[in-house]
């Protein structure tokens, strides 16, 4: 898929479907928050949600007093939907329309979170670019949280092929400089009540 096609795909998704008409919608991002808690964030912590889309994770982070939240996504429409939902609270968030495989952050961060974006990178060159971005973005001692479809999860998401992971294969992708701290499987229930098996991992950046 070309870069232009990838962006067009996601803009179409977010301009034609409502929040709970996409399989990945969740009212409350419990699995993500459990792992974020393991990183012991403070109000001073900087956190970036990679491929955050219109997710409600940012709402929970603001509610927990995190003041330095960035949400990055390919789709401007996704970020506009999140901003509209948040209203005034959106002004305290940094919103970045970018492809993570090409992003250069303006500041390093403590916590990198990604639920269901990395698994779309089926091209090894894109995965290498993602990992390089993660390594230049997360400070030593910081944490990297990634949720993907599990080995026995769906083969596609949003009509696109995905790569599926367990903790070992995800750790191998990240390579040196990311030490596995915890790994959990999570069954996501789609808005139409089908189960999707996820693998969530948290790594410490060394
Ligand atoms: C399945 S959705 C998950 C959205 C959100 N993380 C959540 O849990 O609700 C995948 C998201 O990744 C974004 N995405 C896909 N490829 C990306 C890339 N290369 N760079 C940035 N965002 C990307 C899409 O626009 C979409 O919002």
């Amino acid at each position: 898929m070309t870069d232009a096609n990838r962006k067009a795909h996601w803009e179409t998704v977010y301009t034609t479907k409502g929040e709970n008409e996409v399989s990945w919608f969740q009212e409350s991002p419990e699995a993500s928050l459990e792992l974020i808690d393991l990183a012991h964030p403070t109000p001073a912590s900087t956190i970036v949600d990679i491929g955050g889309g219109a997710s409600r994770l940012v709402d929970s982070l603001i509610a927990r007093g995190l003041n330095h939240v960035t949400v990055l996504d390919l789709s401007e429409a996704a970020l506009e939907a999140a901003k509209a939902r948040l209203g005034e609270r959106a002004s305290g968030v940094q919103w970045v329309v970018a492809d993570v495989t090409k992003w250069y952050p303006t500041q390093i961060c403590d916590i990198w979170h990604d639920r269901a974006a990395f698994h779309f990178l089926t091209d090894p060159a894109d995965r290498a670019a993602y990992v390089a971005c993660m390594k230049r973005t997360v400070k030593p001692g910081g944490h990297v949280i990634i949720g993907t479809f599990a080995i026995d999860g769906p083969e596609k998401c949003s009509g696109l092929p995905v790569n599926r992971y367990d903790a070992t294969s995800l750790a191998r992708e990240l390579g040196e400089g990311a030490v596995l701290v915890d790994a959990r499987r999570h069954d996501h229930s789609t808005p139409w009540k089908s189960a999707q098996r996820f693998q969530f991992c948290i790594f410490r950046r060394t």
Side-chain angles (χ1 to χ4, degrees), residues 61-138:
L61 298 176
I62 294 169
R64 286 168 173 231
L66 296 186
N67 299 317
H68 305 283
V69 181
T70 298
V71 183
L72 176 145
D73 203 276
L74 261 185
S75 165
E76 188 161 11
L79 300 186
E80 289 304 321
K83 284 186 210 174
R85 184 184 66 242
L86 285 165
E88 282 183 5
R89 290 174 297 159
S91 62
V93 175
Q94 277 195 291
W95 304 95
V96 179
V97 178
D99 184 325
V100 63
T101 64
K102 299 179 170 58
W103 185 50
Y104 282 79
T106 53
Q107 56 172 25
I108 56 174
C109 79
D110 297 297
I111 302 173
W112 172 284
H113 172 271
D114 169 346
R115 171 179 180 263
F118 179 70
H119 67 192
F120 289 106
L121 303 179
T122 55
D123 177 340
D126 283 340
R127 291 198 297 281
Y130 176 105
V131 171
C133 178
M134 179 278 283
K135 289 184 175 172
R136 65 181 168 253
T137 304
V138 184

Side-chain angles (χ1 to χ4, degrees), residues 1-205:
M1 189 181 247
T2 65
D3 291 353
N5 287 349
R6 187 189 273 171
K7 181 170 170 61
H9 171 87
W10 289 107
E11 293 295 9
T12 302
V13 167
Y14 286 107
T15 50
T16 58
K17 291 180 190 256
E19 187 185 35
N20 59 4
E21 291 176 315
V22 293
S23 59
W24 54 92
F25 172 72
Q26 50 182 2
E27 287 274 346
S28 178
E30 296 305 337
S32 296
L33 291 170
E34 279 177 21
L35 291 191
I36 289 169
D37 282 344
L38 293 183
H40 302 296
T42 70
S45 300
T46 43
I47 178 164
V48 58
D49 189 17
I50 298 295
S55 160
R56 296 185 178 201
L57 179 67
V58 60
D59 309 39
S60 300
L61 298 176
I62 294 169
R64 286 168 173 231
L66 296 186
N67 299 317
H68 305 283
V69 181
T70 298
V71 183
L72 176 145
D73 203 276
L74 261 185
S75 165
E76 188 161 11
L79 300 186
E80 289 304 321
K83 284 186 210 174
R85 184 184 66 242
L86 285 165
E88 282 183 5
R89 290 174 297 159
S91 62
V93 175
Q94 277 195 291
W95 304 95
V96 179
V97 178
D99 184 325
V100 63
T101 64
K102 299 179 170 58
W103 185 50
Y104 282 79
T106 53
Q107 56 172 25
I108 56 174
C109 79
D110 297 297
I111 302 173
W112 172 284
H113 172 271
D114 169 346
R115 171 179 180 263
F118 179 70
H119 67 192
F120 289 106
L121 303 179
T122 55
D123 177 340
D126 283 340
R127 291 198 297 281
Y130 176 105
V131 171
C133 178
M134 179 278 283
K135 289 184 175 172
R136 65 181 168 253
T137 304
V138 184
K139 60 177 72 160
H143 289 86
V144 178
I145 296 160
I146 301 182
T148 66
F149 281 169
I151 292 292
D152 52 356
E155 293 177 356
K156 288 190 166 189
C157 182
S158 189
L160 301 176
V162 299
N163 280 3
R164 299 175 294 174
Y165 295 93
D166 58 16
T168 304
S169 55
L170 192 54
R172 196 182 309 127
E173 290 291 341
L174 299 192
E176 285 183 8
V179 175
L180 185 66
V181 173
D182 201 337
R184 300 176 182 189
R185 286 166 57 91
H186 170 73
D187 279 350
H188 167 61
S189 177
T190 69
W192 39 96
K193 306 290 177 217
S194 61
Q196 293 184 329
R197 296 208 158 125
F198 271 77
Q199 175 70 54
F200 276 84
C201 295
I202 178 168
F203 301 86
R204 194 178 64 257
R205 181 85 177 90

